[in-house]
Amino acid sequence: QVQLVESGGGLVQAGGSLRLSCAASGRTFSSYPMGWFRQAPGKERDFVAAINWNDDSTYYSNSVKGRFTISRDNAKNTVYLQMNSLKPEDTAVYYCAAEKTPLWFSYNYYFNPARWDYWGQGTQVTVSS
């Protein structure tokens, strides 16, 4: 059974940093894209970032580009999201996602949450002003 478990969320002041982790189990994800989404109360689940299997290609939403960095450690079956210069509008539940297709498509493909095959339970990030 595939399981994705996020950690690292919490409360931080605007301008601060957090590092989210997503540990995968039940399968080796080293050959598959992984990503992060977020969902604020009353809003849709939005794409944040995606990374291919060998860490040499990434996508970011315009709202986080230059502030967030996605990375992965395939030996640990873990993907990370380093979040810097946090803003109150970054407040949301952050979800880890994984693909089961070992291919790398365009940004528009991964932007759609329906494309992703596996999801974690989410971790809350709250940024105070």
Side-chain angles (χ1 to χ4, degrees), residues 17-80:
S17 299
L18 281 175
R19 188 195 195 203
L20 305 183
S21 298
C22 172
S25 62
R27 187 187 131 177
T28 299
F29 283 94
S30 59
S31 298
Y32 303 88
M34 297 188 74
W36 289 94
F37 283 74
R38 65 186 182 185
Q39 188 167 18
K43 296 190 175 181
E44 295 184 346
R45 190 168 296 191
D46 292 332
F47 174 80
V48 175
I51 187 168
N52 73 346
W53 48 86
N54 60 3
D55 211 11
D56 69 351
S57 185
T58 55
Y59 296 132
Y60 295 95
S61 68
N62 287 334
S63 61
V64 307
K65 196 174 295 183
R67 299 187 298 123
F68 291 11
T69 302
I70 187 171
S71 62
R72 65 193 297 166
D73 185 337
N74 287 334
K76 296 181 178 180
N77 232 16
T78 300
V79 65
Y80 305 97

Side-chain angles (χ1 to χ4, degrees), residues 3 8-9 11 16 19 21 23 47 72 74 90-91 96-97 104 106 125:
Q3 191 172 21
L11 174 64
R19 188 195 195 203
S21 298
F47 174 80
R72 65 193 297 166
N74 287 334
D90 294 319
T91 295
C96 176
W104 186 241
S106 68
V125 172

Side-chain angles (χ1 to χ4, degrees), residues 67-115:
R67 299 187 298 123
F68 291 11
T69 302
I70 187 171
S71 62
R72 65 193 297 166
D73 185 337
N74 287 334
K76 296 181 178 180
N77 232 16
T78 300
V79 65
Y80 305 97
L81 186 68
Q82 178 66 44
M83 306 185 296
N84 299 330
S85 303
L86 283 161
K87 306 175 182 179
E89 50 263 44
D90 294 319
T91 295
V93 177
Y94 282 71
Y95 295 91
C96 176
E99 269 274 320
K100 63 180 180 181
T101 303
L103 298 172
W104 186 241
F105 296 107
S106 68
Y107 174 90
N108 288 337
Y109 180 93
Y110 297 110
F111 190 84
N112 183 357
R115 297 290 192 181

